[in-house]
Amino acid sequence: MNDQQKKDAILNKVWQACDTFRGVIDPAQYKDYILTMLFVKYLSDILKSRMAQLTAKYKGAKERIKRALERERFVIPDIEMRDSTGKVEDRFLATFDSLYERRGRSNIGELINILLEHLEDANKLKLHNVFRNIDYNSEANLGQTRQRNTRLKHLLEDLVDLDLTLESVGHLDIIGDVYEYLIEKFAASAGKKAGEFYTPAAVSETLSRLVAPKPGDRICDPACGSGSLLIRAGKQVRSDDYALYGQEMNGSTWALCKMNMFLHGVDSAHIEWEDTIRHPQFVEDDALMKFDVVIANPPFSLDKWGQEIAAEDRYGRFFRGIPPKSKGDWAFISHMLATAMDGKGRVGVVVPHGVLFRGGQEGKIREAVIKENLLDAVIGLPANLFFGTGIPAALMVFDKSRKQGRKVLFIDASREYEQGTNQNKLREQDIQKIVKTFQERKTIDKYSYLATFKEIEENEFNLNIPRYVDTFEPEPEIDMAAVQQEIEQIETELAKTQAKMKGYLKELGF
């Protein structure tokens, strides 16, 4: 079975598992139940793989195997269930298989919660508080006891046949792929909301290649969602010599990001749960921590982003101007620029096109950023790439190491993509063309343009891409002689047909 077939098998099973919850709770909510159980299954299958490897290595010596397992990246603890007198009623390993064996129990929801608590306690540094927002014993979410037990039993039965061992799927992005799949499936309902938290893989890949993290870099995403963009950026380094920092304000998405980091072996990632604008979490000596690379796909035009604190911001992020209360795009960009290292930091951000040309306070901030010589490139993407919104987006790249006089590159990549049923996709050749043009910094007819500061100034600091990249295709000239000839031919054929019809009618006596 190749990777695509393995991925399809997992997604089919997940979709089957969705039937367990469909119509009972909101799709945006039940994905959390499915993804959390998938995570437990993944840990359990990894343990099985390691047990098999260690058993072979130590020829079944239990003590040596036990000691080796204690040094693994994660610990699967034993659970003891006691009655009211303290007598041990049940003892089992905190694995998916243990839950599956007990799937018929009347307290299966409670057992799953207990297992999650033990997993979290045994791996506190990596999973602290990750499961505190999920309750498999919730009557409000999963129904009364009998219905709840039936649903959880079905969920365990749906996932039991999945093979998530390292040998089978070790290099695949299980959580990311399943998350994207569920968002796509629910695009008509929950996707509009849930899609805010996921950056399509091709967009993450493009942005990561543009900011090009290097060995030793500190990389931060202040609106990290499920963490896919951070993980992609880390992979660009092509070694483990980097550090990831992320902040996310939605609790369940933060938990998902923590699980995603764990599954990708990025145990040292710093992922914080808080509002980035009101309460930035990465602070050193009472100042914002600085990063080599700052990337993000913040919520588009966020309302109530925190304007009320901007004027008195203790970190001085809004000295260029305060964005409007109902549009937080430039608030996130201002934060990102403030956290990029002076003289070397690079910033890559996904924005709606309005950021490029809206006036008022946004226009003033944009003008100030350009005058500071921070903007390096603007790239227009095809429409309908994102889940939950069809509006076209753009990428903006800022660079704090730009030399004076360096031009700003504009790329119009909006017409090069693969059309999909629900979502369009950037193909590998589309990504390569964007990145190559960015690296070579060249003007290509109807695709890219290097603009001077003077040209941007003449456009009143409006960055709307058509002002710089001319994609106008003139209509072909009409050959009037050929058209006249075609009309005459049609009239001749019509006359012949009418003559034939007249003859037929005459034969019929009309």
Side-chain angles (χ1 to χ4, degrees):
M1 197 182 284
N2 61 34
D3 283 352
Q4 188 57 49
Q5 288 169 327
K6 288 174 187 171
K7 185 175 158 183
D8 289 344
I10 292 170
L11 297 182
N12 287 336
K13 278 288 180 187
V14 166
W15 191 236
Q16 200 176 326
C18 288
D19 284 334
T20 297
F21 298 104
R22 198 166 290 133
V24 181
I25 58 176
D26 189 273
Q29 201 171 14
Y30 71 69
K31 71 176 172 33
D32 295 332
Y33 286 96
I34 291 171
L35 287 165
T36 301
M37 192 52 69
L38 203 65
F39 180 71
V40 173
K41 180 78 169 73
Y42 192 88
L43 292 187
S44 302
D45 284 2
I46 290 176
L47 178 69
K48 273 195 260 186
S49 293
R50 289 296 293 145
M51 281 287 285
Q53 291 167 359
L54 293 170
T55 299
K57 182 176 180 181
Y58 297 122
K59 302 186 181 346
K62 290 185 180 176
E63 271 307 309
R64 297 188 72 184
I65 294 172
K66 185 181 172 188
R67 285 201 299 275
L69 286 174
E70 287 171 353
R71 296 193 294 272
E72 289 290 306
R73 281 184 53 235
F74 62 94
V75 177
I76 301 289
D78 283 313
I79 298 174
E80 282 187 353
M81 304 288 290
R82 294 176 183 270
D83 63 16
S84 56
T85 66
K87 184 183 173 187
V88 176
E89 283 184 320
D90 194 8
R91 182 183 289 116
F92 56 90
L93 201 58
T95 63
F96 178 92
D97 292 341
S98 298
L99 292 175
Y100 181 73
E101 287 167 13
R102 290 160 181 77
R103 65 190 184 284
R105 298 270 181 94
S106 60
N107 63 339
I108 184 64
E110 183 189 1
L111 284 177
I112 297 174
N113 284 348
I114 290 171
L115 181 140
L116 294 177
E117 284 173 17
H118 277 74
L119 273 179
E120 198 174 299
D121 286 344
N123 300 277
K124 262 188 178 163
L125 285 177
K126 297 163 188 165
L127 298 178
H128 183 55
N129 281 339
V130 163
F131 303 123
R132 74 176 176 182
N133 287 318
I134 189 114
D135 180 4
Y136 283 85
N137 207 33
S138 168
E139 186 171 308
N141 286 342
L142 300 177
Q144 295 182 354
T145 307
R146 188 187 297 174
Q147 296 169 318
R148 182 167 71 246
N149 289 343
T150 302
R151 289 188 180 111
L152 293 175
K153 181 179 176 219
H154 286 164
L155 174 63
L156 293 167
E157 289 173 348
D158 286 335
L159 300 182
V160 70
D161 293 332
L162 279 181
D163 178 6
L164 303 181
T165 55
L166 283 172
E167 297 80 3
S168 177
V169 297
H171 58 290
L172 297 180
D173 179 4
I174 299 298
I175 289 286
D177 286 345
V178 171
Y179 190 78
E180 183 176 10
Y181 173 78
L182 291 180
I183 295 300
E184 189 175 359
K185 282 286 186 184
F186 303 144
S189 53
K192 191 166 186 179
K193 182 180 174 187
E196 294 173 2
F197 311 127
Y198 191 83
T199 308
V203 177
S204 294
E205 182 67 21
T206 307
L207 193 56
S208 299
R209 290 192 205 175
L210 292 175
V211 294
K214 300 177 180 64
D217 276 358
R218 291 205 300 197
I219 308 164
C220 180
D221 183 344
C224 65
S226 60
S228 63
L229 182 54
L230 262 182
I231 290 168
R232 292 259 175 192
K235 283 183 178 172
Q236 290 299 316
V237 177
R238 306 193 186 285
S239 76
D240 295 332
D241 185 16
Y242 61 87
L244 299 185
Y245 295 76
Q247 187 166 340
E248 169 57 42
M249 68 181 297
N250 180 289
S252 62
T253 311
W254 166 83
L256 182 66
C257 183
K258 292 276 284 184
M259 286 189 263
N260 217 0
M261 293 294 158
F262 190 78
L263 292 184
H264 283 84
V266 194
D267 295 347
S268 59
H270 306 269
I271 308 298
E272 299 296 334
W273 175 12
E274 248 303 355
D275 181 324
T276 290
I277 302 298
R278 292 182 177 87
H279 305 289
Q281 293 296 293
F282 300 116
V283 174
E284 283 177 329
D285 301 325
D286 210 28
L288 289 173
M289 192 183 285
K290 301 286 186 179
F291 301 94
D292 301 279
V293 172
V294 187
I295 47 170
N297 173 23
F300 285 0
S301 302
L302 184 66
D303 193 11
K304 299 174 186 169
W305 53 269
Q307 194 200 42
E308 70 281 359
I309 60 95
E312 303 296 327
D313 180 46
R314 62 188 295 189
Y315 303 111
R317 290 170 290 178
F318 307 107
F319 65 90
R320 300 181 187 91
I322 297 177
K325 182 179 177 183
S326 60
K327 289 185 173 58
D329 305 301
W330 277 102
F332 280 98
I333 297 172
S334 297
H335 171 86
M336 295 171 78
L337 290 171
T339 56
M341 282 188 187
D342 295 331
K344 61 182 284 196
R346 305 176 301 286
V347 172
V349 59
V350 186
V351 296
H353 274 243
V355 168
L356 306 178
F357 56 78
R358 286 193 296 250
Q361 277 298 309
E362 293 181 280
K364 290 178 182 172
I365 301 170
R366 190 170 58 242
E367 178 179 338
V369 167
I370 295 166
K371 284 180 173 175
E372 285 176 56
N373 192 33
L374 297 176
L375 181 64
D376 201 39
V378 178
I379 296 128
L381 297 175
N384 212 24
L385 288 180
F386 291 81
F387 301 109
T389 176
I391 65 170
L395 306 178
M396 296 180 83
V397 180
F398 302 88
D399 187 346
K400 286 194 167 180
S401 67
R402 279 170 55 92
K403 293 177 181 170
Q404 283 301 325
R406 182 176 164 94
K407 295 177 181 176
V408 176
L409 179 66
F410 288 82
I411 297 177
D412 183 349
S414 63
R415 297 176 299 169
E416 301 189 17
Y417 60 90
E418 178 185 326
Q419 190 164 9
T421 309
N422 296 319
Q423 252 71 47
N424 295 328
K425 291 179 181 173
L426 283 175
R427 300 159 297 187
E428 176 56 28
Q429 65 260 38
D430 305 325
I431 299 172
Q432 279 185 14
K433 185 172 179 182
I434 292 171
V435 175
K436 187 165 184 273
T437 306
F438 175 78
Q439 290 170 340
E440 295 179 353
R441 298 189 72 76
K442 59 184 180 183
T443 293
I444 300 174
D445 188 35
K446 301 193 184 309
Y447 185 75
S448 64
Y449 183 75
L450 276 168
T452 62
F453 174 83
K454 193 168 186 306
E455 286 173 297
I456 296 174
E457 188 179 37
E458 286 171 356
N459 275 307
E460 298 176 330
F461 301 97
N462 184 322
L463 302 175
N464 202 18
I465 297 170
R467 289 187 178 226
Y468 304 93
V469 183
D470 181 9
T471 56
F472 178 72
E473 297 283 356
E475 293 284 339
E477 285 187 18
I478 297 172
D479 184 343
M480 292 306 294
V483 172
Q484 182 61 37
Q485 189 178 5
E486 190 177 351
I487 291 172
E488 288 171 1
Q489 188 177 350
I490 291 170
E491 285 177 342
T492 303
E493 288 175 2
L494 181 62
K496 286 180 183 175
T497 304
Q498 286 174 333
K500 277 186 184 177
M501 284 292 294
K502 195 173 179 182
Y504 294 147
L505 289 171
K506 191 174 180 182
E507 287 176 11
L508 293 170
F510 290 98

